[in-house]
Amino acid sequence: MKIESIEIHNYKALRDVKVNNIGGFAVFLGGNGAGKSTLFDVFRFLQESLASGIAQPVQMRGGLEKLRTYGCNENIAMELIFSLNDSESYSYQLAFGEDENREVCIVYESLKDKNSDKFIFSRKKDSQVVFTDDEFGLGLSVPPNFAIAKKDALALSIMGQLQNQNEAIAIRDFLAQIFLFTFENERDVLSLNFKKGDKLQADGSNLPSLAYDFIQNHPDKFKRIIDRMKHEIAGLKDVSVALEGGVRIKLAFHDGSFQDSFNLLQISDGTLKLFALLILLENPDPPPLIIIEEPEKDIYQHSLAILAEFFAIYCVKTGKQAFVSTHSSDFISSLEPTEVFMLKKGKQSYTNVFEIGKSILINNFVNSGEHLDSLWRDGSFELENGDNN
């Protein structure tokens, strides 16, 4: 399953945004304040809403007034199109706002087969009822219509718990399992304690434990990580991982110029960041979608193009998706136009999204041998999209 398009209305600076033709690897390019973090926050919001309903995530973002586009009183709405395979795609729609008591509530929610245009379920504000179609295999799992007790609870979360609701289950699980990697080289969060069967945490706090697990259970993956690091980091000879006393990890980085190794507190931020990203990209149990903001932080600029290639290889090899935001021209130098989307503030400071892959101008430049990094730096992206702003 993959996300193939996203449409968002009235979510902070995302007044009317649509991103189409999303492939396995999608890079969202733009300057500071362009709306990249807000776009990714939509996925975090959906994850949190699946677990708790929408009221709490709305409150965590300062309430509906601050979450809505400035000066807008309309409902916040979004649509995500998921492709299960080449022939099946589904539309999930969600709109939320306030009821007559000014409490946060879901106004509309639905899951629909895009090919047949038939609803798997739909739910409206007043009735708080989910309507199901027996053709989609519900059978006797639930009555044809039933009420949802909490007005802010997602029907997708509830339907995804019902037997035989395969589409709802798949989409709920996809959203719940999106991995938003937030590691920022904070050494104090790193734990040296080993936990068997541990999975990578979003903040990277258990990187040492994962490194030891790779050594023990995925030595080929660990070797690939180290080989890639040695190619990008001058002087790096090896990385060793040992378990001391059965509970504590010793992670050592060996530089050919020094007799003693370096521990996690001594290595550079760039080395640690690259190590974390490569661990993520070699995950033996990859999530359906990984989302990373500005992976270029702390990494040497000449390593960014190859890092982007590693992401692209990961998506092809695993069949999963990766969304990355950046304001680094170096990161996009080796990418195809179809992999890049440009975010830019337009009129009234609303975010606009441009598909670089649809630009005849940019494609002509690339076909003649130009690279996207130089095209962005020389203003060609602005020339292409200037009339739309």
Side-chain angles (χ1 to χ4, degrees), residues 322-337:
F323 294 173
V324 174
S325 70
T326 184
H327 45 61
S328 166
S329 58
D330 296 292
F331 190 82
I332 65 168
S333 63
S334 63
L335 299 184
E336 296 295 328

Side-chain angles (χ1 to χ4, degrees), residues 98-139:
E98 294 176 317
D99 63 13
E100 57 278 3
N101 298 317
R102 303 205 63 175
E103 294 180 346
V104 175
C105 68
I106 292 173
V107 176
Y108 180 78
E109 185 185 9
S110 71
L111 181 61
K112 183 170 68 173
D113 185 321
K114 288 284 289 182
N115 299 324
S116 66
D117 216 32
K118 289 184 177 180
F119 285 97
I120 297 173
F121 69 77
S122 65
R123 174 263 193 89
K124 296 181 180 179
K125 174 183 176 182
D126 296 334
S127 61
Q128 298 182 30
V129 173
V130 173
F131 303 91
T132 59
D133 189 330
D134 285 339
E135 290 184 30
F136 289 95
L138 268 175

Side-chain angles (χ1 to χ4, degrees), residues 18-36:
K18 190 164 186 178
V19 187
N20 292 316
N21 302 310
I22 303 174
F25 184 35
V27 176
F28 297 89
L29 177 71
N32 292 328
K36 304 185 299 295

Side-chain angles (χ1 to χ4, degrees), residues 165-363:
Q165 268 286 41
N166 295 332
E167 296 85 3
I169 291 171
I171 291 172
R172 178 207 63 183
D173 289 350
F174 184 104
L175 291 171
Q177 294 168 16
I178 291 174
F179 191 81
L180 293 108
F181 196 48
T182 60
F183 180 67
E184 290 293 346
N185 280 335
E186 296 175 0
R187 313 302 171 100
D188 56 340
V189 307
L190 291 173
S191 171
L192 297 178
N193 295 324
F194 175 66
K195 184 179 179 182
K196 189 175 181 179
D198 208 3
K199 291 188 176 182
L200 184 62
Q201 299 298 310
D203 63 358
S205 57
N206 63 339
L207 271 174
S209 184
L210 263 292
Y212 183 74
D213 180 74
F214 271 51
I215 284 280
Q216 296 297 307
N217 300 308
H218 309 283
D220 55 330
K221 291 179 175 290
F222 192 78
K223 182 179 183 303
R224 187 156 51 241
I225 290 170
I226 304 310
D227 287 344
R228 286 174 169 176
M229 290 188 67
K230 288 191 311 189
H231 187 269
E232 297 304 315
I233 299 173
L236 183 66
K237 185 178 180 181
D238 199 7
V239 179
S240 62
V241 188
L243 186 62
E244 297 180 331
V247 293
R248 192 166 177 82
I249 302 294
K250 182 180 179 181
L251 189 59
F253 292 77
H254 304 273
D255 189 308
S257 303
F258 297 89
Q259 183 175 355
D260 296 330
S261 61
F262 297 88
N263 61 34
L264 285 174
L265 297 178
Q266 297 169 320
I267 61 172
S268 71
D269 287 346
T271 299
L272 181 56
K273 182 70 171 286
L274 184 60
F275 185 62
L277 290 172
L278 293 177
I279 287 278
L280 173 66
L281 294 177
E282 290 290 347
N283 191 340
D285 184 23
L289 168 62
I290 57 176
I291 295 178
I292 303 176
E293 290 194 59
E294 299 174 6
E296 67 267 19
K297 289 181 180 178
D298 301 316
I299 293 180
Y300 183 47
Q301 64 181 35
H302 294 306
S303 296
L304 294 178
I306 191 66
L307 178 62
E309 289 184 18
F310 291 159
F311 275 100
I313 291 168
Y314 162 87
C315 293
V316 171
K317 187 169 65 173
T318 64
K320 308 299 184 180
Q321 286 184 290
F323 294 173
V324 174
S325 70
T326 184
H327 45 61
S328 166
S329 58
D330 296 292
F331 190 82
I332 65 168
S333 63
S334 63
L335 299 184
E336 296 295 328
T338 53
E339 295 173 317
V340 179
F341 300 83
M342 182 177 178
L343 279 68
K344 183 182 177 184
K345 286 290 182 71
K347 295 177 181 178
Q348 298 179 294
S349 294
Y350 301 149
T351 295
N352 293 321
V353 179
F354 304 99
E355 296 179 50
I356 301 303
K358 290 179 68 175
S359 166
I360 296 174
L361 175 67
I362 299 300
N363 278 288

Side-chain angles (χ1 to χ4, degrees), residues 4-5 7 18 79-83 87-93 111-120 136:
E4 58 183 49
S5 73
E7 187 170 352
K18 190 164 186 178
E79 179 183 20
L80 284 76
I81 307 297
F82 296 85
S83 60
S87 60
E88 292 182 88
S89 61
Y90 295 87
S91 162
Y92 175 68
Q93 294 186 357
L111 181 61
K112 183 170 68 173
D113 185 321
K114 288 284 289 182
N115 299 324
S116 66
D117 216 32
K118 289 184 177 180
F119 285 97
I120 297 173
F136 289 95

